Structures are given as structure tokens and as C-alpha cells.
Amino acid sequence: MRTALAAAVALAALALPGAASAHASLRGTVPADGAVLAHAPRSVRVVFDDIVRVGSRNAAVANATGESVLAGEPTADLDVLTIPLRPGLPRGAYSVRWSIVSNDG
């Protein structure tokens, strides 16, 4: 149960977007904000209502240490930004910050 609670706390950070530019609006995240998970996700997907490009300020960190937990560079595919996370993350609180540039500038 603690693992699920820790995952929920980590995902709460998804409710606050990073710097988003132009007119793309957030449609949601996968896992959803506030979701209770038995295991850490392998990535966070951020879905928009317009085509986006990867911005310069994406991050995923362990809150206790500030250590990055990114498993590689974020990618954008049409209206979805994917932020890869290291596999096997231990219990704990994590923060994810996303940054995009909308297709219209």
C-alpha cells in the first residue's frame, strides 16, 4: 500500500505543468494525476490538444535527493510528450516537470 501511496504522491506533481508555450492546452497525463499505482511507471505521457515539440526544461527527479530519474531524452509524437523514467524506481516521492512548444509557435 505504501508503494501505491508513494506513486500517487509522485504523480500529483503532474498537475502543475512546466513552461508551456503558445496555444496547446493540456488534455491529461498517463498515468492520470492522482492515480494510485502499485509500481512506478516506465514513462509519463503528457497529452495536448495540438501538435507539440519537446521544450528545453523537462525533468524528473527524486524529491528526497534531487537526483534525475530520466531514462533518456523526452520525445514528442504529434500531440503526446513522453518523458521516460528509469526502470525499477524505489518507493518515494518524485516530481516531473514538462516543457513543450506548440505547433503554432
Side-chain angles (χ1 to χ4, degrees):
M1 187 64 179
R2 283 186 169 175
T3 301
L5 181 58
V9 169
L11 294 174
L14 295 174
L16 301 174
S21 194
H23 296 100
S25 296
L26 177 67
R27 294 184 106 184
T29 60
V30 178
D33 178 37
V36 177
L37 305 174
H39 304 284
R42 299 209 21 115
S43 67
V44 173
R45 292 182 1 178
V46 187
V47 182
F48 298 90
D49 67 351
D50 194 6
I51 296 171
V52 297
R53 291 178 285 154
V54 177
S56 62
R57 301 189 64 201
N58 293 289
V61 298
N63 290 353
T65 64
E67 176 185 2
S68 175
V69 296
L70 287 174
E73 293 296 320
T75 59
D77 184 17
L78 299 176
D79 61 348
V80 178
L81 173 70
T82 301
I83 301 170
L85 304 176
R86 288 193 320 220
L89 292 174
R91 261 190 279 184
Y94 299 88
S95 295
V96 175
R97 179 181 65 218
W98 52 264
S99 172
I100 56 98
V101 177
S102 178
N103 189 46
D104 62 359

